[in-house]
Amino acid sequence: EPEVTQTPSHQVTQMGQEVILRCVPISNHLYFYWYRQILGQKVEFLVSFYNNEISEKSEIFDDQFSVERPDGSNFTLKIRSTKLEDSAMYFCASSEAWTGNQPQHFGDGTRLSIL
Amino acid sequence: SQQGEEDPQALSIQEGENATMNCSYKTSINNLQWYRQNSGRGLVHLILIRSNEREKHSGRLRVTLDTSKKSSSLLITASRAADTASYFCATWGNQFYFGTGTSLTVIP
């Protein structure tokens, strides 16, 4: 069964540094998402992406965050200047159609640790 | 926030017993989805129930939806140790909202 893959599985970065998290969504999916989960807390929506542009974003997704689909397969999340509070699990997901009607498929996440 | 709470927050049962988890939400929805998360892993979609459906089954899973009460329940029958995980409901408003989750432990 096709999977969403995320790399790296664990990223350790110094505060203030830029970090790029990578995801390969399922190939025929059209909608892409990023979520974060701070340890012990619930999963929080960051952004959805469709047709090469952001379709929705949450209040968490401020100017420090950006997303990109640089080629036909990868979907990236960039945090420009990391803060301690950015430490979390980051999950990428994709869906065949708008998730209002279709389930999302999640990767296993990248654990981001900011020192 | 769009999403309410799931209850209970934690549930521990013996293998073979049934597990029921409840979810509440706050605004009108098109559908409600349930996901499972094993420790350290991503979320896995279990079932989607549309707002015009009242009950849906998938294998050992049974989901109900009461839009008048803005609530849903997930029943896992004949539980197995492998069902040990956190279970979340999720709804779409202008973003996808997950609940706080129920941590289920099934004791062999």
Side-chain angles (χ1 to χ4, degrees), chain A residues 19-80:
Chain A
V19 67
I20 297 176
L21 309 181
R22 291 184 165 79
C23 168
V24 179
I26 294 173
S27 61
N28 65 333
H29 285 187
L30 301 177
Y31 291 76
F32 315 112
Y33 314 86
W34 282 102
Y35 296 85
R36 81 171 184 195
Q37 186 177 33
I38 295 170
L39 185 65
Q41 298 185 24
K42 63 181 176 181
V43 176
E44 298 174 292
F45 172 83
L46 293 178
V47 66
S48 60
F49 191 86
Y50 169 71
N51 200 26
N52 282 320
E53 60 183 31
I54 291 172
S55 47
E56 301 287 349
K57 61 181 180 178
S58 72
E59 56 276 9
I60 302 169
F61 194 88
D62 61 22
D63 291 345
Q64 292 299 311
F65 291 88
S66 62
V67 289
E68 194 177 31
R69 189 156 162 82
D71 53 43
S73 59
N74 290 284
F75 179 50
T76 62
L77 174 70
K78 182 193 289 186
I79 308 174
R80 251 179 282 282

Side-chain angles (χ1 to χ4, degrees), chain B residues 73-84:
Chain B
S73 68
L74 171 68
L75 168 68
I76 303 174
T77 60
S79 63
R80 304 166 182 166
D83 295 329
T84 294

Side-chain angles (χ1 to χ4, degrees), chain B residues 2-8 20-26 29 32-34 63-66 69-74 87-91 97-102:
Chain B
Q2 163 130 344
Q3 197 52 268
E5 300 283 326
E6 276 118 329
D7 78 272
T20 300
M21 289 156 266
N22 302 295
C23 160
S24 63
Y25 57 93
K26 295 182 178 177
I29 58 171
L32 184 143
Q33 303 182 31
W34 283 90
V63 167
T64 62
L65 179 64
D66 187 336
K69 294 181 180 175
K70 292 186 168 56
S71 67
S72 174
S73 68
L74 171 68
Y87 291 82
F88 298 88
C89 65
T91 58
Y97 291 96
F98 282 88
T100 51
T102 293

Side-chain angles (χ1 to χ4, degrees), chain A residues 35 37 98-100 104 108, chain B residues 31 33 35 37 41 92 96:
Chain A
Y35 296 85
Q37 186 177 33
W98 174 64
T99 198
Q104 295 183 42
D108 278 341
Chain B
N31 64 63
Q33 303 182 31
Y35 287 80
Q37 184 181 32
R41 303 295 300 276
W92 182 264
F96 210 42

